[in-house]
Amino acid sequence: MLELDRISVARGELRVVRDFALELPRGEMVALLGPNGAGKSSTIMAIAGHVPVVAGEIRLDGRRIDRLTAAERTHLGLGLVPEGRRIFSDLTVHENLVVGGYLLPRAEAEAREREVTALFPRLRERRRQRAGTLSGGEQQMLAIARALMVRPRLLLVDELSLGLMPAVVDLCFEVLQRLCREEGLACLLVEQNTQKALSVADRVTVLSAGRIVWQGSAAEARADEALIDRMLGLEAG
Ligand SMILES: Nc1ncnc2c1ncn2[C@@H]1O[C@H](COP(=O)(O)OP(=O)(O)OP(=O)(O)O)[C@@H](O)[C@H]1O
Ligand SMILES: [Mg+2]
């Protein structure tokens, strides 16, 4: 479904990611790991259309999308849960979801809101609550639910687990895994929590200083625990 064909990503004058290649088929979850500053968020933002791709191509179902605007990519089925969640604190849960579904006709948006809040019942109970007063976990659920409003086929998630209790992280990943299994959603997850990432993902890509240093199945990575640590530079050797 998603093909990243040797893309390079620029931040200002600087190329922060080079020659990044990845294929992400329907229903699959790929974890993107790497130390701070490796270029993980830049890669995600480039796929979503918020940061320029200066070489290579991005294709979604065979169609080239790297010249399209972010809104056009959303329209084609690309959802983003950005680093830091970026929900609208002054709006209610319901209003945030309306913003997420702005591309949809009204009746469809209402139906979709019922579906995404069924995935996260705590959001349904807090429909009229201001998003800024939600707990961190609830805000992450809202950020995911908002991205799901347009029924994306590909979801990009940057640091889902950051600062959250394990139970909430598990709940969010269970929802994503179910969507992958049942609806063929493809997910690209940036994660700091390596163990969690390896337990939920099918495949793993490790980025360091803007280059891919390892790609393989999550099972391979789990079988050699030191491997990813080594790649992340957490351990000597
Ligand atoms: N808005 C920006 N303007 C200029 N340079 C930036 C900008 N955002 C990031 N960079 C640079 O791009 C490089 C990659 O950053 P990026 O945020 O993609 O890394 P990351 O892997 O997501 O790191 P982290 O784990 O800390 O979130 C870094 O060297 C960073 O300084
Ligand atoms: Mg980042």
Side-chain angles (χ1 to χ4, degrees), residues 198-211:
L198 296 186
S199 75
V200 298
D202 302 295
R203 284 186 300 132
V204 179
T205 292
V206 184
L207 199 60
S208 181
R211 299 230 180 227

Side-chain angles (χ1 to χ4, degrees), residues 156-182:
L156 309 168
V157 187
D158 200 347
E159 309 228 357
L160 186 156
S161 70
L162 197 69
L164 303 184
M165 297 282 288
V168 176
V169 174
D170 288 351
L171 187 145
C172 291
F173 278 127
E174 275 162 27
V175 166
L176 296 183
Q177 280 184 304
R178 197 158 78 233
L179 294 173
C180 288
R181 244 188 347 260
E182 294 173 3

Side-chain angles (χ1 to χ4, degrees), residues 71-82:
E72 287 166 334
R73 296 183 208 193
T74 305
H75 213 73
L76 291 176
L78 202 147
L80 171 68
V81 182

Side-chain angles (χ1 to χ4, degrees), residues 135-154:
S135 75
E138 289 159 359
Q139 291 188 14
Q140 186 61 281
M141 292 178 207
L142 178 58
I144 296 169
R146 183 182 61 183
L148 291 174
M149 279 297 289
V150 289
R151 220 183 282 281
R153 292 173 303 143
L154 169 69

Side-chain angles (χ1 to χ4, degrees), residues 50-121:
H50 297 293
V51 164
V53 172
V54 292
E57 288 187 13
I58 304 177
R59 290 184 292 272
L60 192 63
D61 293 327
R63 174 179 175 177
R64 193 165 172 187
I65 62 164
D66 50 272
R67 299 277 191 268
L68 303 181
T69 64
E72 287 166 334
R73 296 183 208 193
T74 305
H75 213 73
L76 291 176
L78 202 147
L80 171 68
V81 182
E83 196 170 25
R85 291 150 206 163
R86 303 269 181 264
I87 52 168
F88 300 105
S89 313
D90 292 335
L91 301 185
T92 64
V93 166
H94 163 68
E95 287 162 347
N96 268 276
L97 295 174
V98 168
V99 172
Y102 80 99
L103 288 170
L104 305 174
R106 179 148 178 207
E108 205 181 313
E110 284 170 6
R112 187 59 183 157
E113 183 178 341
R114 283 192 292 278
E115 286 173 5
V116 298
T117 53
L119 295 170
F120 297 105

Side-chain angles (χ1 to χ4, degrees), residues 36-37 39-42 83 158-159 190 192:
N36 294 130
K40 306 180 298 293
S41 298
S42 301
E83 196 170 25
D158 200 347
E159 309 228 357
V190 167
Q192 298 269 358

